[in-house]
Amino acid sequence: MKIRAIITGATGMVGEGVLHECLLNPDVEQVLVINRKPGGIIHPKLKEFILKDFFDLSPIESQLGGYTTCFFCLGVSSVGMSADEYRHLTYDLTLNFARLLAKLNPDLTFEYVSGASTDSTEKGRIAWARVKGATENALMQLFRNAYMFRPGFMKPTPGLKNVKTYYKFIAWLYPIGRALYPAGFSTLQELALAMIKSASIGYEKKILEVNDIVALAKR
């Protein structure tokens, strides 16, 4: 069955990379991106909705049925943010969106971009890792098919516009890191391909670390 995907966060680096690969991939027949601002991409497969408030989904609810997959790439940094605010914009926001999709598309595959060192126990010392862990755990309970992706350092996909500025200054580290510590380094393309492939053929693990991401991207 062809993938009909919803993508959030497509104006960020990760979401743009996932969108790029979806538009190229013949297994993906339709893409709906939900952005806070226009992404500026036009493609026959692509439809875009602008949603200013992800806590109020009523403007788009009628448009969210009939999809097979959600690539949830929306996220915020915890830097400079209180613990309560970070949880609200990570756990609460994600679950608000996910619960609606689960109601409208019970068999949907939900794919969540988390991060390396996420804390599945929800009891560790690092606050953001606990929140990410809680989010992962809730999503895996909500959906029968759910995959949590924990990328580390990612080499951006060439030619895309939403690359974080600091990546341009530390890109030289990538080949060294990949050689010395492959468990911490992948490309954004590998992440995107792994997400698409888990939606189409599945994967034996629900939580994918960097080694899993690289291995699945090659299948």
Side-chain angles (χ1 to χ4, degrees):
M1 185 172 62
K2 295 287 187 178
I3 296 170
R4 298 185 302 278
I6 295 171
I7 302 177
T8 66
T11 56
M13 188 182 92
V14 174
E16 184 186 21
V18 173
L19 172 59
H20 178 75
E21 296 302 328
C22 283
L23 296 180
L24 293 174
N25 196 299
D27 290 335
V28 181
E29 68 175 7
Q30 183 180 350
V31 180
L32 169 64
V33 295
I34 303 172
N35 291 330
R36 291 192 177 102
K37 60 183 180 180
I41 297 173
I42 298 173
H43 191 279
K45 291 184 185 181
L46 181 63
K47 181 187 293 185
E48 180 182 54
F49 284 120
I50 304 302
L51 183 66
K52 298 295 185 181
D53 182 4
F54 270 73
F55 288 100
D56 178 13
L57 303 175
S58 58
I60 62 169
E61 181 171 354
S62 64
Q63 306 296 320
L64 297 181
Y67 288 89
T68 65
T69 309
C70 177
F71 298 122
F72 198 92
C73 307
L74 187 64
V76 296
S77 170
S78 63
V79 177
M81 195 176 291
S82 71
D84 288 344
E85 185 180 12
Y86 181 72
R87 183 178 178 87
H88 184 57
L89 294 176
T90 301
Y91 180 92
D92 295 342
L93 185 148
T94 304
L95 268 294
N96 182 61
F97 193 83
R99 288 180 183 123
L100 178 59
L101 288 186
K103 182 179 77 171
L104 298 174
N105 306 284
D107 295 323
L108 179 133
T109 298
F110 197 95
E111 310 215 351
Y112 179 62
V113 179
S114 185
S117 302
T118 291
D119 178 13
S120 296
T121 71
E122 304 178 37
K123 297 178 180 179
R125 295 185 300 105
I126 302 172
W128 72 262
R130 295 196 304 270
V131 172
K132 286 284 193 179
T135 306
E136 287 185 351
N137 291 338
L139 291 171
M140 288 187 287
Q141 290 180 356
L142 185 60
F143 293 95
R144 181 170 58 88
N145 295 313
Y147 297 96
M148 309 295 115
F149 289 83
R150 296 180 175 182
F153 183 96
M154 285 182 289
K155 179 183 178 181
T157 301
L160 302 188
K161 63 183 181 180
N162 292 310
V163 178
K164 295 178 181 179
T165 303
Y166 65 84
Y167 273 80
K168 299 175 183 178
F169 297 102
I170 60 175
W172 61 272
L173 284 171
Y174 176 79
I176 300 171
R178 182 83 174 226
L180 298 179
Y181 182 52
F185 290 75
S186 71
T187 66
L188 177 53
Q189 183 184 45
E190 286 170 331
L191 172 64
L193 290 175
M195 294 179 77
I196 293 169
K197 289 187 177 183
S198 62
S200 60
I201 64 174
Y203 192 64
E204 55 269 23
K205 298 179 184 178
K206 297 300 184 183
I207 297 175
L208 290 84
E209 306 285 356
V210 173
N211 286 336
D212 300 298
I213 291 168
V214 173
L216 181 54
K218 293 177 180 177
R219 290 188 180 178

